[in-house]
Amino acid sequence: MKESKSGNPKSSLKQLQNNENASPFTYSKLLDPEADWDKDQLGDVLHWIRQVVGLFCGLFCGAVPLVGGIWVLAFLALSSGIIYGYYSLILKVDEEDFGGHGALLQEGLFASLTLFLLCWILAYSLAHF
Amino acid sequence: MASMFSSSKFSDSLTVVGVSLCSAVICEAISWILIYRTSSYKSLRSSIDKASRKLESMKTTTDSLKLTTKKSKTKKMDRVETSLKESSRDLFFFKFKSGAVVAIVLIVVFGLLNSLFEGKPVAKLPFTPIWIVKSMSHRGLQGSDLTDCSMAFLYFLCSISIRTNLQKFLGFAPPRGAANPGLFPMPDQKTS
């Protein structure tokens, strides 16, 4: 069974109350599995992580260059894997308290995809033509 | 490095990105003046945040209650949900009216870029676009090389990525609890 901070309704309520009284954001919370997260705080952090991954992956793919639509799928898989690993293994949050895996994985997804495509196209066009 | 980019065959792509960035900043400034700094927007946003939090806490506690208490709790939840939908709808229409000005700015900018780069590829795609993307990425371009990228597609990518992240950075992103009711919201069955 997956280790989780909340395994029943009473502890879910406690988690929710913790969320309402969640501590203000500090950078030390980013790697702290004991930190209390507000839904908006966690969503914002996941959003920005995706954007950074999109930026670096796009620039890398354009610089090498990596060519072909398969790299779009590779980026989606990689960025989703990083996000999942971060909230599941590092922060150890219970995804049920934050709307489930779907809600967490879709934070910043479309914006990061467009940012990845933009950086990839720009780096490829400017560096190789 | 700057001279390397300016001498690149596709240096026009940087012009598109620069114009897109400037227009995003201008649009957010207009939105701030017309929408975000008004007391109506702030109170609507605050009520949506409160209602969504209240609804979440009520949903969590409902499961463990007795049947009679559960029924009255469900009625309260329906009222909160209705209030949340109404606030979301009000927020949508409030932003919609002011958003017309932003839309005009975006249309003017797009028209300007179109007149500058019509029929000219501004970048090279590192992939062959699928049919959904092809109509935009090869818009107005001659030839059969589908990896030529038109201004429209690059501007689209810039708009989405830059504006979304700019809104997020400035704190203007829509609240997570708000649902988009659309232009034709259906009446709430529970209150009729």
Side-chain angles (χ1 to χ4, degrees), chain A residues 44 47-48 51 110-111, chain B residues 20-21 23-32 35-36 41 45 95 98-99 102-103 106 158-176:
Chain A
D44 288 347
H47 171 96
W48 289 115
Q51 307 315 303
F110 191 58
Chain B
S20 193
L21 181 63
S23 67
V25 172
I26 291 170
C27 288
E28 288 312 303
I30 293 173
S31 296
W32 181 78
I35 303 171
Y36 302 130
Y41 173 80
R45 180 149 184 169
K95 290 175 76 175
S98 305
V102 171
L106 292 175
C158 289
S159 295
I160 300 291
S161 56
I162 294 174
R163 281 200 75 202
T164 305
N165 287 308
L166 189 61
Q167 285 180 348
K168 197 82 176 176
F169 181 72
L170 295 173
F172 297 157
R176 285 189 174 81

Side-chain angles (χ1 to χ4, degrees), chain B residues 45-56 80 84:
Chain B
R45 180 149 184 169
S46 170
S47 64
I48 287 172
D49 285 338
K50 281 182 193 165
S52 60
R53 283 185 206 279
K54 196 173 178 182
L55 198 61
E56 274 182 46
V80 173
L84 179 62

